[in-house]
Structure formats: structure tokens, C-alpha cells
Amino acid sequence: MSEPTFLPTYLTTLDTTPLDVLPMLAPEFTFSVLWDDEQGAKEFSGGLPEFNGYLAQRQPDGYAHHIVSATRTGALEVALGKTTRHGELVATFTMAAQVDDDGGVVAGR
């Protein structure tokens, strides 16, 4: 096991300049995001076109991801953390990413 290299950078980028995460994703990238808020459960999944749709509907103002624990084994990174909005706890998360040889992510869950 080693320190993760992709997920911390990805989450910082997502929180500050969301569109800058796109070059970090491999062409064969797939993902799945599931969360719940006051309107109920929401899910986005698919490839790069669906991820662009996910980014377009996000309202990132004030949101920040905080990794509490993370590790890397080979090409697999896993992180546990919390999401805040303007400093208030919104949710917890579990995230995994398969990183390719070029440092891009192939699959994120």
C-alpha cells in the first residue's frame, strides 16, 4: 500500500476548477455517482458524455471534499471522506478509482 496520487488531486480540482478534471480522465473512463439530498436519491453513471452531464448539473458553490482516509494498492485508489458546503457537513463518501499507466483514471465509483 502507498499514498494515493490521483484522488486527492482530482477532488481538489473538482472543488476549485471542475472542468479541469476532464483531462485527468482516460478516454475509456466510466463512473457511477449515487447521492441523496432533500429531493431524494440521484444517480449518474456512464462514460465521458454522462460525466459531462453530471458536471453540468452540479451546483458546486461552497462544496468541498475532505479525504479522511485513503490508500493506493497498485493502480487502485480508495478514499473515505466527507463533503461540506460552506463548512457545514453535507454527506460522507466512499470513492474508488482505477488509475491507468499515464496517471489518468479509467473507472471511478
Side-chain angles (χ1 to χ4, degrees):
M1 289 192 210
S2 61
E3 291 294 314
T5 57
F6 177 81
L7 288 176
T9 302
Y10 169 82
L11 290 172
T12 298
T13 305
L14 184 66
D15 290 343
T16 57
T17 53
L19 294 179
D20 288 347
V21 301
L22 295 174
M24 301 169 75
L25 308 176
E28 66 273 21
F29 170 76
T30 60
F31 79 106
S32 177
V33 175
L34 174 65
W35 77 96
D36 183 44
D37 63 18
E38 55 277 350
Q39 284 92 35
K42 296 181 175 87
E43 180 179 12
F44 280 86
S45 63
L48 287 172
E50 291 82 10
F51 190 73
N52 280 310
Y54 165 72
L55 289 178
Q57 64 79 48
R58 284 182 78 233
Q59 298 177 1
D61 181 48
Y63 276 98
H65 293 84
H66 309 273
I67 294 176
V68 175
S69 179
T71 191
R72 181 176 181 146
T73 302
L76 177 65
E77 293 191 12
V78 178
L80 307 173
K82 62 182 180 177
T83 306
T84 60
R85 183 166 192 182
H86 302 295
E88 297 293 321
L89 180 64
V90 175
T92 59
F93 66 84
T94 303
M95 182 178 280
Q98 186 73 29
V99 182
D100 68 16
D101 292 339
D102 296 321
V105 70
V106 177
R109 304 279 186 238

